[in-house]
Amino acid sequence: DTGVSQDPRHKITKRGQNVTFRCDPISEHNRLYWYRQTLGQGPEFLTYFQNEAQLEKSRLLSDRFSAERPKGSFSTLEIQRTEQGDSAMYLCASSSGSWWETAGELFFGEGSRLTVL
Amino acid sequence: AQSVTQLGSHVSVSEGALVLLRCNYSSSVPPYLFWYVQYPNQGLQLLLKYTTGATLVKGINGFEAEFKKSETSFHLTKPSAHMSDAAEYFCAVSSNTGNQFYFGTGTSLTVIP
């Protein structure tokens, strides 16, 4: 088990372009979360999947953002028409089992850093 | 809805001194509470957690936290700071279903030799 992996680790793009990030959770982890973290801030919740179902979406997730988790395995986060304010670290985390069993231990990837010029 | 507030974005302590990082929560349901640590250039990792039962919970590296419902607090403490404790610390709260999992803005801990 290699942990949560995210790709790409760094992405530089021009304003208005679309970008897509991929997250591969730990095998068999049914829960997957996306967060955004800017310098000096805590991770901001974006969205949550249980298996393939997207169960929660933050108000931060504007209509330019879309996330998918087909087949309940890897997940993608797409940002359309990027803006400079989208520059941040995008974090993916996964966890397994019922919530009261694993009691909230999220395993985080190292993140995908987005820079919008 | 759940949220957490971390008081003090930066805390400095001398090596060997008490570490106290403050966290207050807001939750409409019984909360699950967590402290995560982020070392420079590393990902977040779980330090300790409270779900149910004993209100004083112990974590890794000598840290502990106490859940105080009457004060809606979950402060993190360590009796004696080490240089290796310098990091960013995040308090987090979730519902008992895990559908929502929210972090505070973080407290940067500096340990002075």
Side-chain angles (χ1 to χ4, degrees):
Chain A
D1 194 344
T2 57
V4 178
S5 62
Q6 294 188 241
D7 183 72
R9 295 290 310 281
H10 302 273
K11 178 70 176 179
I12 300 174
T13 191
K14 293 182 179 180
R15 187 179 54 174
Q17 298 295 305
N18 299 342
V19 296
T20 299
F21 300 113
R22 175 179 171 124
C23 171
D24 286 89
I26 293 172
S27 298
E28 307 306 320
H29 275 195
N30 60 334
R31 298 172 178 269
L32 188 145
Y33 302 78
W34 283 100
Y35 289 87
R36 179 175 68 190
Q37 186 176 25
T38 53
L39 194 62
Q41 297 297 314
E44 297 174 296
F45 173 80
L46 293 179
T47 191
Y48 161 70
F49 289 87
Q50 185 165 330
N51 299 311
E52 68 277 8
Q54 189 175 20
L55 298 185
E56 290 285 342
K57 290 175 62 175
S58 166
R59 289 190 299 275
L60 294 174
L61 213 64
S62 75
D63 56 5
R64 296 186 299 106
F65 288 70
S66 63
E68 296 181 340
R69 193 184 182 197
K71 303 179 183 178
S73 56
F74 71 93
S75 176
T76 58
L77 177 69
E78 180 182 15
I79 308 174
Q80 296 182 326
R81 306 181 302 281
T82 53
E83 302 173 355
Q84 289 186 326
D86 297 331
S87 295
M89 179 75 84
Y90 290 85
L91 301 172
C92 178
S94 69
S95 69
S96 65
S98 58
W99 195 244
W100 55 89
E101 289 175 345
T102 57
E105 181 165 5
L106 302 189
F107 294 83
F108 280 85
E110 295 187 339
S112 293
R113 183 170 296 283
L114 174 64
T115 301
V116 182
L117 302 177
Chain B
Q2 291 86 34
S3 66
V4 289
T5 301
Q6 291 185 242
L7 302 177
S9 58
H10 294 88
V11 170
S12 294
V13 299
S14 298
E15 191 174 14
L18 171 73
V19 176
L20 171 61
L21 304 182
R22 300 178 186 274
C23 173
N24 288 89
Y25 71 90
S26 172
S27 179
S28 56
V29 297
Y32 285 14
L33 295 160
F34 311 85
W35 278 97
Y36 276 75
V37 60
Q38 187 173 31
Y39 297 104
N41 300 315
Q42 294 186 26
L44 288 94
Q45 56 183 287
L46 181 66
L47 200 55
L48 52 77
K49 61 188 177 188
Y50 167 80
T51 55
T52 59
T55 56
L56 181 64
V57 293
K58 297 183 185 299
I60 60 173
N61 301 334
F63 284 93
E64 61 182 38
E66 186 171 9
F67 170 62
K68 292 187 176 181
K69 184 177 180 181
S70 61
E71 298 178 8
T72 61
S73 69
F74 191 58
H75 302 330
L76 182 70
T77 60
K78 182 175 181 178
S80 176
H82 294 173
M83 296 299 295
S84 60
D85 294 328
E88 190 84 18
Y89 291 81
F90 295 96
C91 184
V93 63
S94 82
S95 64
N96 58 3
T97 61
N99 287 19
Q100 299 173 6
F101 197 104
Y102 296 101
F103 287 84
T105 53
T107 298
S108 178
L109 177 65
T110 300
V111 182
I112 304 167

